[in-house]
Amino acid sequence: MPVSRTRKPKQKPREPARPQARGRGNAPRRLAAALIAAFLVCVLAVGGLSALSGGEADGGGGADGEGDASVQPLPSDHPALDVARRDADDPLALGDADAPVVMIEYVDFQDAFSGIHARQTHDALVAEYVESGDVRIEFRNYPINGPESDAAARAAWAAGRQGRFWEFYAAALGEEFHRDSGRFEEEGARALAEEAGVADVDRFAADMESDEAFDAVQRDADEGFDLGVSSTPSFMINGQAIEGARPLDEFRELLDQLIESAP
């Protein structure tokens, strides 16, 4: 069974390091964002963003194992309902752009629990829900574990530029490894790109260090942080949140309800 605990970092994912001459001076902006995010976390908790989220596996119930796991509808103006991009050309997405349910997945490639989800649950969700047209998966980079996490996020984005993002996702998370082991440094990233079938590895390396890569990763990180995402993997499924490497049946329980209630 997938392990369901997740780390609970309390700080915003670092902005990927840029050359010093291109620094942004983000301290005031980050302080404001932190205050906003703290407020949103409270809103999400009070508003019942998900009856199924949480760091500890409890079988989906309360203390007696018989809690109500029905989906609680969100207010129409809830910020979590506006994050799906539905871009048909997004290489970091799977499924129909107009699918009734969108599952947004926030991942740090160095997080062990993100790897558990990728190896044990992702493919089944694709086979059961994405291929049927009921669910779309949109990936978001959420690097919270230091420079190699930043590099991994940019490498994944760069692989997507050549249409091999999901192959890179499978290669990068396909086995357990130690954090900060060099897996996502230059040579390691190139090796993963080759394993993923990236055609032009030199272009991949250049794309990985481009301004576009830094900006794309930061956009994803800012989005998640502003919504109150506090750990990886985290999922927003039509605004409903699930945290951690949860069992497949827990995803099914929520997805089936959302599909049934979708317009």
Side-chain angles (χ1 to χ4, degrees):
M1 178 178 292
V3 179
S4 61
R5 293 184 180 179
T6 53
R7 300 179 182 89
K8 300 289 185 180
K10 297 180 180 180
Q11 74 278 3
K12 182 176 182 178
R14 297 185 313 103
E15 180 172 1
R18 290 175 180 268
Q20 187 172 1
R22 300 178 69 92
R24 293 183 174 181
N26 278 332
R29 175 174 167 269
R30 288 185 176 181
L31 177 59
L35 294 173
I36 293 170
F39 170 75
L40 284 173
V41 170
C42 295
V43 172
L44 299 184
V46 173
L49 181 58
S50 173
L52 301 175
S53 65
E56 299 286 347
D58 58 9
D64 59 1
E66 297 181 358
D68 182 4
S70 62
V71 175
Q72 301 300 314
L74 299 176
S76 60
D77 60 348
H78 199 290
L81 296 174
D82 294 330
V83 293
R85 297 171 187 172
R86 294 187 178 274
D87 179 359
D89 297 323
D90 183 358
L92 277 63
L94 288 171
D96 297 339
D98 59 353
V101 174
V102 177
M103 182 174 85
I104 300 169
E105 177 178 342
Y106 297 89
V107 165
D108 182 317
F109 277 97
Q110 288 206 111
D111 175 59
F113 300 102
S114 294
I116 290 170
H117 174 81
R119 293 189 296 274
Q120 298 187 8
T121 309
H122 172 80
D123 287 348
L125 290 174
V126 173
E128 292 184 31
Y129 293 99
V130 175
E131 292 178 2
S132 69
D134 290 320
V135 173
R136 172 179 174 84
I137 297 176
E138 294 186 358
F139 180 92
R140 303 287 194 267
N141 277 301
Y142 203 64
I144 56 179
N145 289 315
E148 276 204 51
S149 292
D150 297 340
R154 299 195 313 275
W157 179 88
R161 298 278 279 184
Q162 298 186 52
R164 306 300 289 180
F165 169 78
W166 290 103
E167 291 80 4
F168 185 92
Y169 173 96
L173 297 174
E175 61 185 32
E176 294 183 13
F177 59 90
H178 293 292
R179 189 193 303 176
D180 299 330
S181 63
R183 184 175 178 82
F184 299 105
E185 292 179 355
E186 182 176 359
E187 292 305 314
R190 281 177 170 266
L192 287 169
E194 291 174 354
E195 182 180 344
V198 173
D200 187 339
V201 177
D202 288 336
R203 174 191 163 193
F204 160 85
D207 284 341
M208 181 177 167
E209 299 303 324
S210 67
D211 284 346
E212 291 85 355
F214 283 98
D215 291 342
V217 170
Q218 193 61 42
R219 176 192 179 193
D220 287 357
D222 285 345
E223 175 191 285
F225 182 78
D226 290 345
L227 281 172
V229 173
S230 62
S231 60
T232 57
S234 285
F235 307 87
M236 291 284 183
I237 308 177
N238 277 16
Q240 305 288 335
I242 290 182
E243 293 183 355
R246 310 300 292 185
L248 177 60
D249 282 347
E250 201 162 308
F251 283 95
R252 287 181 176 137
E253 184 176 10
L254 177 56
L255 289 169
D256 289 345
Q257 291 184 68
L258 291 173
I259 291 167
E260 182 177 354
S261 64

